[in-house]
Amino acid sequence: MDLTGKRVLVTGATGLIGGRLIERLREHPDVSIRALVRDSTRADRLRALSVEIVTGDITHPETLPEALAGCHIVAHCAARVTERGSWEEFWRSNVEGTRHVLEAAARAGVERFVHVSSVAVYGLFPQDHTDESSPYQPCGNAYCDTKIEAEKVALEYFHQRGVPIVIVRPGIVYGPRSQHWTIRIIELLKANRLVLLGRADGFCNHVYVDNVVDALLLAMTNDDVVGEAFIITDGRATTWREFFGHYARMLGRNALPQLPAAPAKALLRLSGWAARLRGHPPPLSPKVVDYLQHRALFRIEKAKERLGYAPRISLEEGMRRTEAWLREAGYL
Ligand SMILES: NC(=O)c1ccc[n+]([C@@H]2O[C@H](COP(=O)([O-])OP(=O)(O)OC[C@H]3O[C@@H](n4cnc5c(N)ncnc54)[C@H](OP(=O)(O)O)[C@@H]3O)[C@@H](O)[C@H]2O)c1
């Protein structure tokens, strides 16, 4: 499909991926862009891009028909993306919210619906060489498990209602404006609170934000991939130690403090008990040590062969761009 003359609705437009997608769509002269925003006070960046802004909330279905009216393509980037919150909160946004957007899209007769999912559908401890033929792995984590359920809803709308879905499953997304995998890491480092737990030699399956956006644009335009899902990472076996090391170097540090696995787990267990005694949620689960040591790489061959995806921005270039943005934004 050619994007010329199409109107694209982006949900999650104030977020990392939706926001960058809109910036990239703006480079295309003949695309109309509509941004779904739930709080217009957070939309200054979008206003500066002169895109159409509609106010709506994916958990309030009555706000969606107006947002979808006249749209040809939906890029559904809105979701609850955090480590905290109740199961119900995740379910309401990620599963029911997705259903509401799909229902409005089905009624509006959209020509393409790109659903942004996550490799989290394979759980926190995926098999090595996981690809799109690997089964979902529910793991009890509300974010991961609701991302699985959201995909099931998307596939239901594809099979039963004929909505032309493409599912994109990014790895961990870093780059300018990434709250989780860029800003938080720099802030922890600056506060001397980032410690390598255990060997930290597990693979982090990163993907630079513009590589994700490349995949989303391909998912919008490639006509041979409707009904398919694609894992999107930079396709490189980078350890957490290496990944965090890039950020440490931005702050002029060559080495990161580390704590072997056994004492790290004991300390996390103790701090968890202490927090619970004080009525606070535990800061980090001891499982994080295993997570950082888990050596599983996702395969991106299907995305390369079927979608035409190639991770254009290398880790070195991505980190260079990220550092430039962190300096400009005053984090460094
Ligand atoms: N970041 C990653 O590493 C990563 C990795 C894999 C997959 N993903 C997936 O990529 C997608 C986008 O993630 P992101 O990193 O861009 O997240 P983000 O920066 O946290 O943005 C989430 C967006 O969703 C919006 N949103 C949340 N609840 C909403 C609701 N009820 N109604 C309308 N909008 C709502 C937020 O709006 P407000 O600004 O109003 O909060 C925000 O614009 C998500 O599906 C996520 O699961 C992310």
Side-chain angles (χ1 to χ4, degrees):
M1 186 193 323
D2 185 357
L3 290 180
T4 306
K6 303 291 183 192
R7 178 174 287 117
V8 183
L9 174 73
V10 180
T11 72
T14 51
L16 167 67
I17 297 175
R20 186 62 188 141
L21 173 62
I22 288 176
E23 284 175 345
R24 294 275 304 278
L25 281 169
R26 282 289 283 124
E27 292 166 12
H28 197 297
D30 302 313
V31 178
S32 310
I33 305 161
R34 190 176 284 169
L36 182 78
V37 169
R38 62 175 164 174
D39 175 358
S40 60
T41 63
R42 290 170 55 83
D44 288 349
R45 180 177 163 215
L46 296 168
R47 261 182 227 107
L49 291 169
S50 315
V51 299
E52 186 189 355
I53 296 170
V54 288
T55 309
D57 187 318
I58 60 170
T59 64
H60 293 280
E62 71 285 358
T63 63
L64 298 176
E66 187 198 331
L68 266 295
C71 287
H72 306 95
I73 301 173
V74 177
H76 178 42
C77 306
R80 185 177 177 85
V81 190
T82 163
E83 280 133 29
R84 301 219 179 267
S86 67
W87 175 267
E88 290 71 26
E89 285 170 311
F90 280 97
W91 185 272
R92 209 177 311 126
S93 298
N94 296 356
V95 186
E96 287 307 317
T98 296
R99 181 181 292 285
H100 297 321
V101 182
L102 281 157
E103 181 59 35
R107 288 172 191 238
V110 300
E111 295 167 19
R112 189 65 54 89
F113 188 107
V114 179
H115 172 67
V116 184
S117 181
S118 168
V119 294
V121 300
Y122 300 111
L124 294 174
F125 299 98
Q127 301 273 313
D128 196 12
H129 303 305
T130 288
D131 65 13
E132 292 82 353
S133 67
S134 308
Y136 291 137
Q137 237 188 83
C139 63
N141 173 288
Y143 173 71
C144 298
D145 291 359
T146 55
K147 291 302 279 184
I148 295 177
E149 295 307 316
E151 278 201 10
K152 290 183 186 167
V153 174
L155 290 170
E156 178 190 315
Y157 271 81
F158 169 62
H159 291 296
Q160 293 173 17
R161 302 281 294 279
V163 178
I165 305 282
V166 182
I167 296 174
V168 171
R169 298 175 181 147
I172 71 145
V173 186
Y174 80 99
R177 296 192 171 81
S178 166
Q179 191 58 48
H180 295 279
W181 300 112
T182 295
I183 296 170
R184 178 177 62 167
I185 309 299
I186 283 293
E187 286 181 339
L188 284 171
L189 278 165
K190 287 204 301 197
N192 293 318
R193 287 180 55 225
L194 197 144
V195 177
L196 295 178
L197 302 172
R199 297 184 306 275
D201 61 353
F203 299 139
C204 73
N205 290 292
H206 52 81
V207 55
Y208 185 66
V209 62
D210 272 75
N211 292 343
V212 177
V213 171
D214 285 350
L216 296 180
L217 294 170
L218 288 165
M220 286 178 191
T221 50
N222 186 326
D223 290 328
D224 300 324
V225 296
V226 171
E228 299 288 340
F230 297 96
I231 292 171
I232 300 294
T233 71
D234 287 345
R236 175 171 160 163
T238 307
T239 64
W240 286 105
R241 177 186 294 274
E242 269 181 79
F243 185 70
F244 293 145
H246 279 277
Y247 289 110
R249 272 187 295 281
M250 293 178 197
L251 289 162
R253 301 183 195 165
N254 288 322
L256 285 164
Q258 54 189 105
L259 194 58
K265 284 186 182 181
L267 198 72
L268 289 174
R269 241 174 253 122
L270 269 176
S271 54
W273 287 328
R276 270 188 290 269
L277 276 177
R278 292 198 308 270
H280 300 310
L284 271 183
S285 155
K287 272 195 203 158
V288 78
V289 180
D290 301 324
Y291 179 76
L292 295 174
Q293 298 188 141
H294 187 70
R295 291 171 77 81
L297 199 62
F298 288 97
R299 292 173 60 91
I300 56 167
E301 274 63 26
K302 182 179 171 191
K304 285 182 173 172
E305 284 158 22
R306 300 276 312 274
L307 197 59
Y309 168 73
R312 204 166 40 90
I313 311 290
S314 66
L315 179 63
E316 291 68 26
E317 175 60 16
M319 284 293 178
R320 199 190 57 69
R321 293 184 187 193
T322 303
E323 179 174 0
W325 177 80
L326 284 165
R327 289 200 188 284
E328 199 183 302
Y331 290 100
L332 290 176

